[in-house]
Amino acid sequence: MVSLPAAAESGSPKHSVQFYGRDDDAFVANVSRYLGEGLQRGEGLVVIATAAHIRAFAGRLVEDGHDPTRAIHQGQLLFLGAAQTLSLFMVDGEADRDSFRSATRVVLRQLRGKTGRREIRAYGEMVGLLWNAGHSAAAARLERLWNELLSENGLQLLCAYQIDVFGKEFQAGVIDEILCAHTHLEPESINRNLDSAVTRAMTEVLGAKAKSLPLIFDSRAASWAILPKGETTVLWLRDNLPEYADEILARARGY
């Protein structure tokens, strides 16, 4: 069994991460489901995202039977631009701690003024923007600042990175720091069919050899976020069977 990271122990705030690639629909559905759960529970929500994703999330919430416009007017839901929010606290290429805390304090105060003692859940793409721009160290620092804030305020946070789980960038050496900063990795697909697709592809490519491999899939880092089985398998393939990984994952993507 894999030990849970300290941040994921019972009673600690949940800090999840969502990776997305080509299938933007699944990503939008995942995030909108997370936001919809918060609306149903009367929680305060802050969404820090690109304009395109804000439109997509709002539209999906409506499709799922929610009323984001009403939630905005009631002060339960805040939509903030990711780049604009980043500009409030980035100094010399990294997040300034005092400026970050000042900016988030304003948002939390505004939400709590409307929702009282109910929980607040946040969704953010600022770290993703930094990552896409090649500023992985700045993204890691911002994740640490978020973790400080979560532990002090009991918030729930979902972050997003544009990293394709079928792509070469999804391997332990590349995303180790991201996984260490979070408590949970959310499944890539809303119907959790990644595991079945990868298993099917492995059986076709590896034949009988595939049956013995699951015995060693639990060799994950204890400091990582809790990973779904499908994503764990993909990481294992990249690290342990690189000569087969591309073919297996190309088939799995199709499935």
Side-chain angles (χ1 to χ4, degrees):
M1 295 298 291
V2 179
S3 300
L4 301 187
E9 292 174 355
S10 178
S12 297
K14 185 176 181 181
H15 184 185
S16 302
V17 60
Q18 175 78 65
F19 295 144
Y20 67 99
R22 297 182 186 180
D23 191 355
D24 210 44
D25 290 340
F27 159 67
V28 170
N30 280 352
V31 175
S32 299
R33 179 181 57 175
Y34 165 80
L35 299 174
E37 290 174 353
L39 291 177
Q40 286 182 324
R41 296 173 181 174
E43 298 172 352
L45 277 75
V46 56
V47 177
I48 309 172
T50 63
H53 282 161
I54 287 174
R55 289 192 296 270
F57 299 149
R60 183 59 186 250
L61 284 171
V62 171
E63 291 178 13
D64 291 343
H66 302 289
D67 189 346
T69 301
R70 180 183 178 188
I72 292 171
H73 290 160
Q74 292 179 339
Q76 183 187 1
L77 170 62
L78 292 176
F79 282 125
L80 304 175
Q84 296 90 328
T85 305
L86 263 178
S87 69
L88 298 176
F89 54 79
M90 292 297 290
V91 178
D92 296 329
E94 68 174 27
D96 176 74
R97 186 174 183 271
D98 291 339
S99 298
F100 170 78
R101 295 173 75 86
S102 177
T104 52
R105 190 181 302 118
V106 171
V107 173
L108 295 178
R109 186 183 301 120
Q110 183 175 345
L111 286 172
R112 288 211 163 99
K114 297 294 184 179
T115 59
R117 294 181 176 274
R118 290 177 179 170
E119 292 185 1
I120 293 175
R121 65 175 62 195
Y123 166 79
E125 297 178 0
M126 295 185 292
V127 288
L129 292 185
L130 293 172
W131 178 272
N132 286 349
H135 304 313
S136 58
R141 173 170 171 76
L142 182 52
E143 293 285 18
R144 291 193 293 272
L145 294 180
W146 270 119
N147 278 328
E148 288 181 11
L149 191 70
L150 298 183
S151 64
E152 295 169 7
N153 293 272
L155 309 178
Q156 181 178 175
L157 173 64
L158 172 63
C159 298
Y161 289 79
Q162 192 174 9
I163 295 175
D164 185 355
V165 299
F166 293 106
K168 291 184 181 296
E169 67 270 30
F170 188 73
Q171 53 183 297
V174 177
I175 63 171
D176 174 77
E177 199 162 22
I178 296 176
L179 295 178
C180 287
H182 295 85
T183 63
H184 298 75
L185 171 63
E186 296 299 324
E188 184 271 345
S189 184
I190 195 168
N191 58 7
R192 300 172 185 261
N193 62 359
L194 176 62
D195 178 46
S196 61
V198 174
T199 299
R200 177 181 174 185
M202 286 176 61
T203 300
E204 291 177 354
V205 174
L206 301 176
K209 181 180 178 182
K211 294 182 179 180
S212 62
L213 297 179
L215 297 177
I216 50 179
F217 281 165
D218 273 341
S219 57
R220 292 170 284 180
S223 58
W224 283 0
I226 298 172
L227 272 62
K229 185 178 178 182
E231 281 79 358
T232 301
T233 305
V234 174
L235 288 175
W236 188 91
L237 283 169
R238 286 291 183 198
D239 281 353
N240 295 275
L241 293 176
E243 68 274 25
Y244 296 107
D246 285 344
E247 182 181 358
I248 291 172
L249 296 177
R251 293 189 183 216
R253 186 193 294 277
Y255 300 146

